[in-house]
Amino acid sequence: MKGHIVLLAVLLVSCSERAERTYTVDELIADEALLAEIMTACGTNPGELGNTPNCQNAAAADFKASFRRMRKALGG
């Protein structure tokens, strides 16, 4: 998994001509492993990555998923 995080970080900061794939909030909620990888990469380098679409979508997905878990735990 550590290798995936490093690879993701490299992809997030690379300046290649190929555009990085932007994941939607719903895609990230559906893929907990991907969400965790992106959150880790964003948390490791928030100065460079914090304003990227994937970091913003991951933060929104994390918040939304946390809210859903809390609602479910409360019986809602």
Side-chain angles (χ1 to χ4, degrees), residues 18-71:
R18 195 175 117 212
E20 173 191 351
R21 182 176 186 306
T22 300
Y23 296 95
T24 67
V25 171
D26 289 336
E27 288 174 316
L28 293 169
I29 288 173
D31 189 339
E32 292 180 17
L34 178 61
L35 175 57
E37 287 180 23
I38 293 175
M39 290 295 292
T40 298
C42 296
T44 301
N45 193 356
E48 287 187 37
L49 303 177
N51 289 324
T52 63
N54 276 333
C55 287
Q56 292 176 349
N57 288 350
D62 187 55
F63 178 79
K64 193 172 181 179
S66 295
F67 185 74
R68 285 181 181 177
R69 285 190 299 273
M70 183 175 29
R71 242 183 34 213

